[in-house]
PDB file of all heavy atoms in Angstrom:
ATOM      1  N   SER A  40     137.318  55.778 132.378  1.00  0.00           N
ATOM      2  CA  SER A  40     136.294  54.797 131.970  1.00  0.00           C
ATOM      3  C   SER A  40     135.270  55.411 131.020  1.00  0.00           C
ATOM      4  O   SER A  40     134.591  54.685 130.285  1.00  0.00           O
ATOM      5  CB  SER A  40     135.549  54.252 133.187  1.00  0.00           C
ATOM      6  OG  SER A  40     136.466  53.772 134.124  1.00  0.00           O
ATOM      7  N   ARG A  41     135.161  56.753 131.050  1.00  0.00           N
ATOM      8  CA  ARG A  41     134.196  57.405 130.158  1.00  0.00           C
ATOM      9  C   ARG A  41     134.666  57.378 128.703  1.00  0.00           C
ATOM     10  O   ARG A  41     133.848  57.452 127.789  1.00  0.00           O
ATOM     11  CB  ARG A  41     133.933  58.847 130.611  1.00  0.00           C
ATOM     12  CG  ARG A  41     133.017  58.918 131.847  1.00  0.00           C
ATOM     13  CD  ARG A  41     132.397  60.293 132.015  1.00  0.00           C
ATOM     14  NE  ARG A  41     133.351  61.282 132.492  1.00  0.00           N
ATOM     15  CZ  ARG A  41     133.659  61.478 133.766  1.00  0.00           C
ATOM     16  NH1 ARG A  41     133.079  60.745 134.705  1.00  0.00           N
ATOM     17  NH2 ARG A  41     134.556  62.381 134.130  1.00  0.00           N
ATOM     18  N   ARG A  42     135.988  57.272 128.481  1.00  0.00           N
ATOM     19  CA  ARG A  42     136.437  57.276 127.080  1.00  0.00           C
ATOM     20  C   ARG A  42     137.201  56.009 126.671  1.00  0.00           C
ATOM     21  O   ARG A  42     137.507  55.825 125.492  1.00  0.00           O
ATOM     22  CB  ARG A  42     137.274  58.522 126.771  1.00  0.00           C
ATOM     23  CG  ARG A  42     138.514  58.674 127.575  1.00  0.00           C
ATOM     24  CD  ARG A  42     139.361  59.859 127.136  1.00  0.00           C
ATOM     25  NE  ARG A  42     140.615  59.874 127.868  1.00  0.00           N
ATOM     26  CZ  ARG A  42     141.622  59.095 127.583  1.00  0.00           C
ATOM     27  NH1 ARG A  42     141.568  58.258 126.570  1.00  0.00           N
ATOM     28  NH2 ARG A  42     142.733  59.152 128.318  1.00  0.00           N
ATOM     29  N   LEU A  43     137.491  55.116 127.648  1.00  0.00           N
ATOM     30  CA  LEU A  43     138.165  53.864 127.314  1.00  0.00           C
ATOM     31  C   LEU A  43     137.289  52.695 127.745  1.00  0.00           C
ATOM     32  O   LEU A  43     136.494  52.826 128.666  1.00  0.00           O
ATOM     33  CB  LEU A  43     139.513  53.772 128.055  1.00  0.00           C
ATOM     34  CG  LEU A  43     140.607  54.752 127.676  1.00  0.00           C
ATOM     35  CD1 LEU A  43     141.776  54.629 128.649  1.00  0.00           C
ATOM     36  CD2 LEU A  43     141.086  54.470 126.247  1.00  0.00           C
ATOM     37  N   ASP A  44     137.488  51.535 127.101  1.00  0.00           N
ATOM     38  CA  ASP A  44     136.725  50.334 127.472  1.00  0.00           C
ATOM     39  C   ASP A  44     137.371  49.714 128.715  1.00  0.00           C
ATOM     40  O   ASP A  44     138.128  48.738 128.633  1.00  0.00           O
ATOM     41  CB  ASP A  44     136.736  49.356 126.292  1.00  0.00           C
ATOM     42  CG  ASP A  44     135.933  48.116 126.596  1.00  0.00           C
ATOM     43  OD1 ASP A  44     135.158  48.133 127.582  1.00  0.00           O
ATOM     44  OD2 ASP A  44     136.091  47.126 125.858  1.00  0.00           O
ATOM     45  N   THR A  45     137.098  50.351 129.866  1.00  0.00           N
ATOM     46  CA  THR A  45     137.653  49.881 131.131  1.00  0.00           C
ATOM     47  C   THR A  45     136.716  50.318 132.249  1.00  0.00           C
ATOM     48  O   THR A  45     135.655  50.892 131.989  1.00  0.00           O
ATOM     49  CB  THR A  45     139.086  50.424 131.337  1.00  0.00           C
ATOM     50  OG1 THR A  45     139.663  49.780 132.469  1.00  0.00           O
ATOM     51  CG2 THR A  45     139.112  51.939 131.538  1.00  0.00           C
ATOM     52  N   SER A  46     137.082  50.016 133.500  1.00  0.00           N
ATOM     53  CA  SER A  46     136.223  50.413 134.625  1.00  0.00           C
ATOM     54  C   SER A  46     137.084  50.651 135.855  1.00  0.00           C
ATOM     55  O   SER A  46     138.195  50.121 135.959  1.00  0.00           O
ATOM     56  CB  SER A  46     135.214  49.306 134.923  1.00  0.00           C
ATOM     57  OG  SER A  46     135.899  48.164 135.401  1.00  0.00           O
ATOM     58  N   ASP A  47     136.509  51.420 136.770  1.00  0.00           N
ATOM     59  CA  ASP A  47     137.211  51.673 138.035  1.00  0.00           C
ATOM     60  C   ASP A  47     137.527  50.340 138.736  1.00  0.00           C
ATOM     61  O   ASP A  47     138.627  50.131 139.232  1.00  0.00           O
ATOM     62  CB  ASP A  47     136.327  52.565 138.918  1.00  0.00           C
ATOM     63  CG  ASP A  47     136.948  52.826 140.275  1.00  0.00           C
ATOM     64  OD1 ASP A  47     138.107  53.269 140.322  1.00  0.00           O
ATOM     65  OD2 ASP A  47     136.277  52.570 141.293  1.00  0.00           O
ATOM     66  N   ALA A  48     136.544  49.425 138.712  1.00  0.00           N
ATOM     67  CA  ALA A  48     136.736  48.135 139.406  1.00  0.00           C
ATOM     68  C   ALA A  48     137.891  47.354 138.781  1.00  0.00           C
ATOM     69  O   ALA A  48     138.730  46.784 139.494  1.00  0.00           O
ATOM     70  CB  ALA A  48     135.441  47.331 139.346  1.00  0.00           C
ATOM     71  N   TRP A  49     137.972  47.328 137.444  1.00  0.00           N
ATOM     72  CA  TRP A  49     139.055  46.582 136.778  1.00  0.00           C
ATOM     73  C   TRP A  49     140.414  47.205 137.138  1.00  0.00           C
ATOM     74  O   TRP A  49     141.336  46.488 137.528  1.00  0.00           O
ATOM     75  CB  TRP A  49     138.870  46.597 135.251  1.00  0.00           C
ATOM     76  CG  TRP A  49     139.757  45.585 134.547  1.00  0.00           C
ATOM     77  CD1 TRP A  49     139.393  44.325 134.167  1.00  0.00           C
ATOM     78  CD2 TRP A  49     141.134  45.743 134.182  1.00  0.00           C
ATOM     79  NE1 TRP A  49     140.465  43.684 133.591  1.00  0.00           N
ATOM     80  CE2 TRP A  49     141.544  44.529 133.585  1.00  0.00           C
ATOM     81  CE3 TRP A  49     142.075  46.762 134.296  1.00  0.00           C
ATOM     82  CZ2 TRP A  49     142.835  44.320 133.095  1.00  0.00           C
ATOM     83  CZ3 TRP A  49     143.368  46.554 133.822  1.00  0.00           C
ATOM     84  CH2 TRP A  49     143.752  45.347 133.230  1.00  0.00           C
ATOM     85  N   ILE A  50     140.489  48.518 137.024  1.00  0.00           N
ATOM     86  CA  ILE A  50     141.784  49.180 137.256  1.00  0.00           C
ATOM     87  C   ILE A  50     142.234  48.954 138.703  1.00  0.00           C
ATOM     88  O   ILE A  50     143.390  48.604 138.967  1.00  0.00           O
ATOM     89  CB  ILE A  50     141.711  50.688 136.921  1.00  0.00           C
ATOM     90  CG1 ILE A  50     141.321  50.890 135.451  1.00  0.00           C
ATOM     91  CG2 ILE A  50     143.047  51.367 137.222  1.00  0.00           C
ATOM     92  CD1 ILE A  50     140.993  52.331 135.077  1.00  0.00           C
ATOM     93  N   ARG A  51     141.295  49.139 139.647  1.00  0.00           N
ATOM     94  CA  ARG A  51     141.667  48.956 141.070  1.00  0.00           C
ATOM     95  C   ARG A  51     142.082  47.516 141.352  1.00  0.00           C
ATOM     96  O   ARG A  51     143.067  47.270 142.048  1.00  0.00           O
ATOM     97  CB  ARG A  51     140.495  49.333 141.973  1.00  0.00           C
ATOM     98  CG  ARG A  51     140.355  50.815 142.163  1.00  0.00           C
ATOM     99  CD  ARG A  51     139.179  51.117 143.087  1.00  0.00           C
ATOM    100  NE  ARG A  51     138.818  52.515 143.008  1.00  0.00           N
ATOM    101  CZ  ARG A  51     139.354  53.463 143.776  1.00  0.00           C
ATOM    102  NH1 ARG A  51     140.233  53.161 144.679  1.00  0.00           N
ATOM    103  NH2 ARG A  51     138.985  54.727 143.625  1.00  0.00           N
ATOM    104  N   SER A  52     141.340  46.559 140.816  1.00  0.00           N
ATOM    105  CA  SER A  52     141.640  45.166 141.170  1.00  0.00           C
ATOM    106  C   SER A  52     142.939  44.694 140.516  1.00  0.00           C
ATOM    107  O   SER A  52     143.673  43.907 141.096  1.00  0.00           O
ATOM    108  CB  SER A  52     140.478  44.246 140.794  1.00  0.00           C
ATOM    109  OG  SER A  52     140.345  44.214 139.394  1.00  0.00           O
ATOM    110  N   ARG A  53     143.279  45.194 139.314  1.00  0.00           N
ATOM    111  CA  ARG A  53     144.497  44.738 138.635  1.00  0.00           C
ATOM    112  C   ARG A  53     145.735  45.541 138.998  1.00  0.00           C
ATOM    113  O   ARG A  53     146.843  45.088 138.825  1.00  0.00           O
ATOM    114  CB  ARG A  53     144.338  44.806 137.097  1.00  0.00           C
ATOM    115  CG  ARG A  53     143.259  43.937 136.535  1.00  0.00           C
ATOM    116  CD  ARG A  53     143.549  42.469 136.768  1.00  0.00           C
ATOM    117  NE  ARG A  53     142.488  41.629 136.245  1.00  0.00           N
ATOM    118  CZ  ARG A  53     142.598  40.891 135.140  1.00  0.00           C
ATOM    119  NH1 ARG A  53     143.718  40.878 134.456  1.00  0.00           N
ATOM    120  NH2 ARG A  53     141.579  40.157 134.738  1.00  0.00           N
ATOM    121  N   THR A  54     145.528  46.790 139.458  1.00  0.00           N
ATOM    122  CA  THR A  54     146.707  47.653 139.663  1.00  0.00           C
ATOM    123  C   THR A  54     146.739  48.357 141.020  1.00  0.00           C
ATOM    124  O   THR A  54     147.784  48.859 141.417  1.00  0.00           O
ATOM    125  CB  THR A  54     146.769  48.772 138.590  1.00  0.00           C
ATOM    126  OG1 THR A  54     145.698  49.697 138.831  1.00  0.00           O
ATOM    127  CG2 THR A  54     146.664  48.224 137.178  1.00  0.00           C
ATOM    128  N   GLY A  55     145.601  48.473 141.704  1.00  0.00           N
ATOM    129  CA  GLY A  55     145.548  49.237 142.954  1.00  0.00           C
ATOM    130  C   GLY A  55     145.527  50.740 142.734  1.00  0.00           C
ATOM    131  O   GLY A  55     145.589  51.518 143.692  1.00  0.00           O
ATOM    132  N   ILE A  56     145.421  51.167 141.473  1.00  0.00           N
ATOM    133  CA  ILE A  56     145.464  52.611 141.171  1.00  0.00           C
ATOM    134  C   ILE A  56     144.039  53.180 141.144  1.00  0.00           C
ATOM    135  O   ILE A  56     143.134  52.585 140.542  1.00  0.00           O
ATOM    136  CB  ILE A  56     146.176  52.860 139.814  1.00  0.00           C
ATOM    137  CG1 ILE A  56     147.630  52.370 139.897  1.00  0.00           C
ATOM    138  CG2 ILE A  56     146.122  54.347 139.420  1.00  0.00           C
ATOM    139  CD1 ILE A  56     148.336  52.271 138.547  1.00  0.00           C
ATOM    140  N   GLY A  57     143.856  54.338 141.796  1.00  0.00           N
ATOM    141  CA  GLY A  57     142.554  54.999 141.815  1.00  0.00           C
ATOM    142  C   GLY A  57     142.549  56.276 141.005  1.00  0.00           C
ATOM    143  O   GLY A  57     141.527  56.698 140.461  1.00  0.00           O
ATOM    144  N   ARG A  58     143.701  56.925 140.947  1.00  0.00           N
ATOM    145  CA  ARG A  58     143.812  58.166 140.173  1.00  0.00           C
ATOM    146  C   ARG A  58     145.285  58.446 139.899  1.00  0.00           C
ATOM    147  O   ARG A  58     146.161  57.803 140.460  1.00  0.00           O
ATOM    148  CB  ARG A  58     143.154  59.343 140.898  1.00  0.00           C
ATOM    149  CG  ARG A  58     143.728  59.635 142.282  1.00  0.00           C
ATOM    150  CD  ARG A  58     142.846  60.639 143.018  1.00  0.00           C
ATOM    151  NE  ARG A  58     143.086  60.636 144.441  1.00  0.00           N
ATOM    152  CZ  ARG A  58     143.875  61.492 145.073  1.00  0.00           C
ATOM    153  NH1 ARG A  58     144.532  62.407 144.404  1.00  0.00           N
ATOM    154  NH2 ARG A  58     144.011  61.433 146.366  1.00  0.00           N
ATOM    155  N   ARG A  59     145.517  59.442 139.063  1.00  0.00           N
ATOM    156  CA  ARG A  59     146.881  59.847 138.724  1.00  0.00           C
ATOM    157  C   ARG A  59     146.844  61.329 138.371  1.00  0.00           C
ATOM    158  O   ARG A  59     145.783  61.876 138.065  1.00  0.00           O
ATOM    159  CB  ARG A  59     147.489  59.002 137.586  1.00  0.00           C
ATOM    160  CG  ARG A  59     146.942  59.133 136.202  1.00  0.00           C
ATOM    161  CD  ARG A  59     145.579  58.532 135.943  1.00  0.00           C
ATOM    162  NE  ARG A  59     145.483  57.092 136.053  1.00  0.00           N
ATOM    163  CZ  ARG A  59     144.425  56.453 136.543  1.00  0.00           C
ATOM    164  NH1 ARG A  59     143.348  57.136 136.935  1.00  0.00           N
ATOM    165  NH2 ARG A  59     144.362  55.160 136.607  1.00  0.00           N
ATOM    166  N   HIS A  60     148.016  61.979 138.415  1.00  0.00           N
ATOM    167  CA  HIS A  60     148.126  63.389 138.009  1.00  0.00           C
ATOM    168  C   HIS A  60     148.719  63.422 136.605  1.00  0.00           C
ATOM    169  O   HIS A  60     149.686  62.705 136.334  1.00  0.00           O
ATOM    170  CB  HIS A  60     149.053  64.146 138.960  1.00  0.00           C
ATOM    171  CG  HIS A  60     148.495  64.296 140.336  1.00  0.00           C
ATOM    172  ND1 HIS A  60     148.157  65.516 140.874  1.00  0.00           N
ATOM    173  CD2 HIS A  60     148.204  63.386 141.298  1.00  0.00           C
ATOM    174  CE1 HIS A  60     147.692  65.351 142.098  1.00  0.00           C
ATOM    175  NE2 HIS A  60     147.713  64.059 142.379  1.00  0.00           N
ATOM    176  N   LEU A  61     148.171  64.268 135.750  1.00  0.00           N
ATOM    177  CA  LEU A  61     148.715  64.378 134.395  1.00  0.00           C
ATOM    178  C   LEU A  61     149.094  65.824 134.094  1.00  0.00           C
ATOM    179  O   LEU A  61     148.401  66.761 134.510  1.00  0.00           O
ATOM    180  CB  LEU A  61     147.703  63.894 133.351  1.00  0.00           C
ATOM    181  CG  LEU A  61     147.265  62.419 133.398  1.00  0.00           C
ATOM    182  CD1 LEU A  61     146.473  62.072 132.138  1.00  0.00           C
ATOM    183  CD2 LEU A  61     148.440  61.455 133.529  1.00  0.00           C
ATOM    184  N   ALA A  62     150.195  65.963 133.366  1.00  0.00           N
ATOM    185  CA  ALA A  62     150.645  67.291 132.946  1.00  0.00           C
ATOM    186  C   ALA A  62     149.634  67.895 131.973  1.00  0.00           C
ATOM    187  O   ALA A  62     148.939  67.174 131.264  1.00  0.00           O
ATOM    188  CB  ALA A  62     152.009  67.167 132.273  1.00  0.00           C
ATOM    189  N   GLU A  63     149.581  69.221 131.954  1.00  0.00           N
ATOM    190  CA  GLU A  63     148.744  69.916 130.975  1.00  0.00           C
ATOM    191  C   GLU A  63     149.456  69.885 129.625  1.00  0.00           C
ATOM    192  O   GLU A  63     150.690  69.785 129.589  1.00  0.00           O
ATOM    193  CB  GLU A  63     148.567  71.387 131.384  1.00  0.00           C
ATOM    194  CG  GLU A  63     147.837  71.603 132.688  1.00  0.00           C
ATOM    195  CD  GLU A  63     146.374  71.192 132.628  1.00  0.00           C
ATOM    196  OE1 GLU A  63     145.837  71.055 131.510  1.00  0.00           O
ATOM    197  OE2 GLU A  63     145.783  70.983 133.704  1.00  0.00           O
ATOM    198  N   PRO A  64     148.694  69.998 128.518  1.00  0.00           N
ATOM    199  CA  PRO A  64     149.364  70.122 127.216  1.00  0.00           C
ATOM    200  C   PRO A  64     150.366  71.275 127.261  1.00  0.00           C
ATOM    201  O   PRO A  64     150.052  72.349 127.799  1.00  0.00           O
ATOM    202  CB  PRO A  64     148.210  70.420 126.255  1.00  0.00           C
ATOM    203  CG  PRO A  64     146.986  69.877 126.947  1.00  0.00           C
ATOM    204  CD  PRO A  64     147.238  70.032 128.415  1.00  0.00           C
ATOM    205  N   GLY A  65     151.551  71.033 126.759  1.00  0.00           N
ATOM    206  CA  GLY A  65     152.580  72.076 126.768  1.00  0.00           C
ATOM    207  C   GLY A  65     153.488  72.019 127.980  1.00  0.00           C
ATOM    208  O   GLY A  65     154.540  72.666 127.997  1.00  0.00           O
TER     209      GLY A  65
END
Side-chain angles (χ1 to χ4, degrees):
S40 307
R41 284 199 286 276
R42 60 175 186 78
L43 293 172
D44 182 15
T45 189
S46 66
D47 177 53
W49 194 96
I50 300 170
R51 281 181 195 271
S52 66
R53 298 296 179 107
T54 70
I56 298 167
R58 59 191 162 97
R59 69 288 295 144
H60 292 246
L61 297 191
E63 296 293 342

